[in-house]
Amino acid sequence: MKYTQLGRTGLKVSRLVLGTMNFGPQTDEADSHAIMDAALDAGINFFDTANVYGWGENKGRTESIIGNWFAKGGDRRDKVVLATKVYANMAADGQAAWPNHDKLSALNIRRAVDASLKRLQTDHIDLYQFHHIDRDTPFEEIWQAIDTLVQQGKILYAGSSNFPGYKIAQANEIAARRGGTIGLVSEQCLYNLAERRAEMEVIPAAQDYGLGVIPWSPLHGGLLGGIIKKEVQGGRRASGRAADTLKDPAARAQVQAYEDLVDKHGLQPGEVALAWLLTRPGVTGPIVGPRTADQLESALRAIELDLNEDLLSGLDEVFPGPGPSPEAFAW
């Protein structure tokens, strides 16, 4: 495994991040524990989750699965850089949130972190991430709550997720004015070959403020994992974001061109998509969310891939980025 610093911090993390969103909804607890053991054995030390994972009637279930794994001992907790998130309504789907039981008020942050700590069976969270911007809560209040949690030893660092560039700047400028607050150290955003809009504002802001970039959905919901070839061979069919994209003939042709290019180089589409992200400036490591041990093995192979210039140029031709900001939209 290869490691890097998380943004401007001294925290060393693996260049693949184990995403746990499937633990509970799609992968049972025993298999989830096996995947976490395999990830740790492979050197992955950065695990990402969220308080809402488990979904539906089972929000919080994923954190509980991880907590039960930590409880097995064997230095599991000590070896893991643990990241979770706060923002979501924890009520069951279809039920309204009780006032102050969601978003980023100081009251909900305090309540949510204690609930996550209990489910995770740990005394601290290494990276506590804001899952979305809160348009109603000022950053002065958010940072006051975070500073208190840091002083109490309940969290070590704070990060953002799904933030636009200007909110990353605003959050860290207010943190700097307050003094004594390190501010955001990471941004978890949607970023992959097929979805490169983050290159316009989010990633430049993250780089300027020293945030590590943690891309989620690196295969764009399976779209970049060889989905057309799998369909032809009678395998898993596209669903969700991938299925919606493939309804567009132009987008389907683009994905086919991608699969053809990767096949020409004798590589696997999913592994190339991950390896490409590892070449991108500012990227700490993509989040991989395996449902099975085999999917984890495939992701691990991406670490060793060395994409040559011919392939990188071809990828840019198939999936051109937006270009630098502001020229991408101003000229």
Side-chain angles (χ1 to χ4, degrees):
M1 181 52 59
K2 298 176 182 177
Y3 300 89
T4 189
Q5 306 302 125
L6 180 62
R8 66 188 184 282
T9 75
L11 188 65
K12 188 171 289 187
V13 295
S14 52
R15 296 223 63 200
L16 285 183
V17 184
L18 182 68
T20 62
M21 189 170 67
N22 291 321
F23 295 175
Q26 297 193 45
T27 307
D28 66 24
E29 182 157 347
D31 287 343
S32 299
H33 286 191
I35 289 171
M36 286 187 281
D37 280 334
L40 206 59
D41 287 344
I44 296 177
N45 75 334
F46 198 4
F47 288 19
D48 176 75
T49 190
N51 60 352
V52 74
Y53 290 172
W55 310 110
E57 300 288 328
N58 298 301
K59 292 176 181 177
R61 174 61 178 151
T62 303
E63 285 188 333
S64 295
I65 289 173
I66 296 170
N68 291 338
W69 181 72
F70 285 148
K72 291 181 174 182
D75 293 329
R76 286 175 170 84
R77 177 64 189 96
D78 186 57
K79 292 178 178 177
V80 168
V81 175
L82 176 63
T84 192
K85 308 183 193 76
V86 57
Y87 178 86
N89 170 11
M90 293 298 290
D93 283 0
Q95 296 182 10
W98 188 256
N100 304 309
H101 277 228
D102 64 354
K103 300 188 179 178
L104 301 179
S105 70
L107 179 56
N108 187 55
I109 287 175
R110 176 181 176 179
R111 177 183 291 112
V113 78
D114 284 342
S116 285
L117 288 170
K118 183 177 180 180
R119 287 189 293 265
L120 290 163
Q121 300 188 51
T122 186
D123 63 355
H124 75 283
I125 294 160
D126 299 303
L127 177 63
Y128 202 47
Q129 302 164 109
F130 311 130
H131 213 161
H132 196 276
I133 60 169
D134 183 350
R135 295 178 173 90
D136 299 321
T137 304
F139 277 112
E140 289 84 355
E141 176 181 346
I142 293 170
W143 286 129
Q144 182 183 51
I146 293 299
D147 287 348
T148 299
L149 294 177
V150 171
Q151 291 163 8
Q152 292 173 340
K154 292 182 178 180
I155 70 170
L156 299 182
Y157 304 94
S160 58
S161 181
N162 306 307
F163 270 35
Y166 82 96
K167 280 293 182 181
I168 291 172
Q170 184 183 53
N172 274 15
E173 289 297 330
I174 291 173
R177 289 203 299 268
R178 293 185 76 252
T181 299
I182 192 172
L184 299 173
V185 303
S186 62
E187 160 59 19
Q188 188 177 133
C189 59
L190 175 61
Y191 182 40
N192 55 57
L193 269 167
E195 176 48 84
R196 296 178 61 171
R197 285 178 292 177
E199 294 175 358
M200 292 179 68
E201 296 278 358
V202 174
I203 293 175
Q207 288 183 280
D208 279 357
Y209 283 95
L211 278 65
V213 175
I214 309 168
W216 62 266
S217 196
L219 304 188
H220 208 55
L223 189 75
L224 301 173
I227 192 65
I228 295 178
K229 184 176 182 179
K230 290 175 183 177
E231 285 185 350
V232 171
Q233 294 177 343
R236 182 180 175 221
R237 296 189 64 80
S239 60
R241 183 184 295 116
D244 291 341
T245 301
L246 291 179
K247 291 176 183 176
D248 178 356
R252 188 179 185 90
Q254 187 179 39
V255 174
Q256 184 66 68
Y258 168 66
E259 293 188 13
D260 291 344
L261 173 65
V262 171
D263 187 62
K264 173 185 171 184
H265 286 265
L267 301 172
Q268 296 300 315
E271 295 169 19
V272 168
L274 290 173
W276 178 82
L277 281 169
L278 292 170
T279 71
R280 305 311 298 164
V283 168
T284 299
I287 297 173
V288 296
R291 296 186 305 277
T292 66
D294 287 344
Q295 290 178 345
L296 176 62
E297 284 295 324
S298 176
L300 288 167
R301 288 193 292 271
I303 288 287
E304 303 302 326
L305 282 189
D306 185 14
L307 307 185
N308 62 44
E309 289 301 321
D310 181 52
L311 176 53
L312 289 171
S313 297
L315 293 172
D316 278 335
E317 290 177 8
V318 175
F319 294 113
S325 174
E327 291 85 354
F329 57 82
W331 292 357

mmCIF file of all heavy atoms in Angstrom, residues 28 30 58 66 76 105 150 156 187 207 209 212 219 286 288 311:
data_model
loop_
_atom_site.group_PDB
_atom_site.id
_atom_site.type_symbol
_atom_site.label_atom_id
_atom_site.label_comp_id
_atom_site.label_asym_id
_atom_site.label_seq_id
_atom_site.Cartn_x
_atom_site.Cartn_y
_atom_site.Cartn_z
ATOM 1 N N ASP A 28 -23.754 -8.173 4.487
ATOM 2 C CA ASP A 28 -24.111 -8.473 5.880
ATOM 3 C C ASP A 28 -22.918 -8.235 6.807
ATOM 4 O O ASP A 28 -21.789 -7.979 6.367
ATOM 5 C CB ASP A 28 -24.669 -9.889 6.032
ATOM 6 C CG ASP A 28 -23.654 -10.995 5.738
ATOM 7 O OD1 ASP A 28 -22.431 -10.764 5.853
ATOM 8 O OD2 ASP A 28 -24.095 -12.114 5.390
ATOM 9 N N ALA A 30 -21.107 -10.142 8.850
ATOM 10 C CA ALA A 30 -19.966 -11.055 8.795
ATOM 11 C C ALA A 30 -19.074 -10.753 7.593
ATOM 12 O O ALA A 30 -17.844 -10.684 7.716
ATOM 13 C CB ALA A 30 -20.455 -12.500 8.746
ATOM 14 N N ASN A 58 -32.858 1.782 8.981
ATOM 15 C CA ASN A 58 -31.653 1.299 9.653
ATOM 16 C C ASN A 58 -30.511 2.312 9.657
ATOM 17 O O ASN A 58 -29.346 1.928 9.654
ATOM 18 C CB ASN A 58 -31.181 0.003 8.987
ATOM 19 C CG ASN A 58 -32.206 -1.103 9.101
ATOM 20 O OD1 ASN A 58 -32.588 -1.493 10.201
ATOM 21 N ND2 ASN A 58 -32.667 -1.596 7.961
ATOM 22 N N ILE A 66 -19.282 -1.340 12.076
ATOM 23 C CA ILE A 66 -17.866 -0.991 12.263
ATOM 24 C C ILE A 66 -17.505 -1.059 13.743
ATOM 25 O O ILE A 66 -16.437 -1.569 14.118
ATOM 26 C CB ILE A 66 -17.583 0.411 11.691
ATOM 27 C CG1 ILE A 66 -17.820 0.424 10.178
ATOM 28 C CG2 ILE A 66 -16.151 0.848 12.007
ATOM 29 C CD1 ILE A 66 -17.804 1.808 9.566
ATOM 30 N N ARG A 76 -7.474 -3.210 16.015
ATOM 31 C CA ARG A 76 -8.225 -2.723 14.854
ATOM 32 C C ARG A 76 -8.447 -1.210 14.926
ATOM 33 O O ARG A 76 -8.179 -0.491 13.968
ATOM 34 C CB ARG A 76 -9.560 -3.456 14.741
ATOM 35 C CG ARG A 76 -9.448 -4.893 14.238
ATOM 36 C CD ARG A 76 -10.820 -5.581 14.274
ATOM 37 N NE ARG A 76 -10.818 -6.865 13.588
ATOM 38 C CZ ARG A 76 -10.428 -8.009 14.152
ATOM 39 N NH1 ARG A 76 -9.985 -8.004 15.408
ATOM 40 N NH2 ARG A 76 -10.453 -9.141 13.457
ATOM 41 N N SER A 105 -26.192 22.698 13.431
ATOM 42 C CA SER A 105 -26.238 23.527 14.627
ATOM 43 C C SER A 105 -25.282 22.949 15.659
ATOM 44 O O SER A 105 -24.965 21.753 15.654
ATOM 45 C CB SER A 105 -27.654 23.575 15.209
ATOM 46 O OG SER A 105 -27.999 22.311 15.761
ATOM 47 N N VAL A 150 -12.863 19.043 19.833
ATOM 48 C CA VAL A 150 -11.416 18.791 19.779
ATOM 49 C C VAL A 150 -10.827 18.878 21.185
ATOM 50 O O VAL A 150 -10.031 18.028 21.600
ATOM 51 C CB VAL A 150 -10.725 19.788 18.824
ATOM 52 C CG1 VAL A 150 -9.201 19.668 18.941
ATOM 53 C CG2 VAL A 150 -11.155 19.523 17.379
ATOM 54 N N LEU A 156 -10.523 14.764 16.114
ATOM 55 C CA LEU A 156 -9.190 15.318 15.889
ATOM 56 C C LEU A 156 -9.166 16.341 14.759
ATOM 57 O O LEU A 156 -8.529 17.377 14.870
ATOM 58 C CB LEU A 156 -8.200 14.187 15.586
ATOM 59 C CG LEU A 156 -8.023 13.135 16.686
ATOM 60 C CD1 LEU A 156 -6.978 12.113 16.260
ATOM 61 C CD2 LEU A 156 -7.627 13.773 18.002
ATOM 62 N N GLU A 187 -11.808 17.560 1.724
ATOM 63 C CA GLU A 187 -13.087 17.696 1.033
ATOM 64 C C GLU A 187 -13.379 16.395 0.304
ATOM 65 O O GLU A 187 -12.564 15.901 -0.481
ATOM 66 C CB GLU A 187 -13.069 18.854 0.033
ATOM 67 C CG GLU A 187 -14.135 18.817 -1.058
ATOM 68 C CD GLU A 187 -15.589 18.816 -0.588
ATOM 69 O OE1 GLU A 187 -15.847 19.199 0.562
ATOM 70 O OE2 GLU A 187 -16.458 18.425 -1.392
ATOM 71 N N GLN A 207 -6.945 22.724 -2.952
ATOM 72 C CA GLN A 207 -5.482 22.804 -3.037
ATOM 73 C C GLN A 207 -4.955 24.095 -2.422
ATOM 74 O O GLN A 207 -3.955 24.094 -1.704
ATOM 75 C CB GLN A 207 -5.030 22.691 -4.493
ATOM 76 C CG GLN A 207 -5.187 21.298 -5.082
ATOM 77 C CD GLN A 207 -4.656 21.211 -6.503
ATOM 78 O OE1 GLN A 207 -5.315 21.614 -7.450
ATOM 79 N NE2 GLN A 207 -3.449 20.696 -6.637
ATOM 80 N N TYR A 209 -6.214 25.871 -0.070
ATOM 81 C CA TYR A 209 -6.381 25.896 1.384
ATOM 82 C C TYR A 209 -5.792 24.661 2.060
ATOM 83 O O TYR A 209 -5.953 24.482 3.266
ATOM 84 C CB TYR A 209 -7.855 26.053 1.747
ATOM 85 C CG TYR A 209 -8.348 27.466 1.587
ATOM 86 C CD1 TYR A 209 -8.981 27.880 0.413
ATOM 87 C CD2 TYR A 209 -8.149 28.408 2.586
ATOM 88 C CE1 TYR A 209 -9.415 29.182 0.257
ATOM 89 C CE2 TYR A 209 -8.573 29.714 2.436
ATOM 90 C CZ TYR A 209 -9.203 30.106 1.273
ATOM 91 O OH TYR A 209 -9.625 31.406 1.121
ATOM 92 N N GLY A 212 -7.000 17.856 1.651
ATOM 93 C CA GLY A 212 -6.911 16.650 0.861
ATOM 94 C C GLY A 212 -8.236 16.393 0.168
ATOM 95 O O GLY A 212 -9.299 16.631 0.745
ATOM 96 N N LEU A 219 -16.159 5.178 -9.678
ATOM 97 C CA LEU A 219 -16.608 4.472 -10.886
ATOM 98 C C LEU A 219 -17.942 5.017 -11.392
ATOM 99 O O LEU A 219 -18.557 4.437 -12.283
ATOM 100 C CB LEU A 219 -16.728 2.963 -10.618
ATOM 101 C CG LEU A 219 -15.475 2.261 -10.104
ATOM 102 C CD1 LEU A 219 -15.697 0.747 -10.069
ATOM 103 C CD2 LEU A 219 -14.257 2.601 -10.953
ATOM 104 N N PRO A 286 -9.146 7.862 -3.663
ATOM 105 C CA PRO A 286 -10.568 7.653 -3.906
ATOM 106 C C PRO A 286 -11.178 6.695 -2.888
ATOM 107 O O PRO A 286 -10.491 5.835 -2.319
ATOM 108 C CB PRO A 286 -10.592 7.039 -5.308
ATOM 109 C CG PRO A 286 -9.278 6.334 -5.423
ATOM 110 C CD PRO A 286 -8.297 7.168 -4.648
ATOM 111 N N VAL A 288 -13.306 3.564 -2.203
ATOM 112 C CA VAL A 288 -13.791 2.345 -2.846
ATOM 113 C C VAL A 288 -14.791 1.693 -1.892
ATOM 114 O O VAL A 288 -14.516 1.567 -0.701
ATOM 115 C CB VAL A 288 -12.652 1.385 -3.220
ATOM 116 C CG1 VAL A 288 -11.740 2.026 -4.255
ATOM 117 C CG2 VAL A 288 -11.826 0.981 -2.002
ATOM 118 N N LEU A 311 -2.160 6.404 -22.842
ATOM 119 C CA LEU A 311 -3.459 6.088 -22.248
ATOM 120 C C LEU A 311 -4.062 7.320 -21.578
ATOM 121 O O LEU A 311 -5.264 7.591 -21.730
ATOM 122 C CB LEU A 311 -3.308 4.952 -21.242
ATOM 123 C CG LEU A 311 -4.575 4.549 -20.458
ATOM 124 C CD1 LEU A 311 -5.736 4.244 -21.393
ATOM 125 C CD2 LEU A 311 -4.282 3.359 -19.569
#
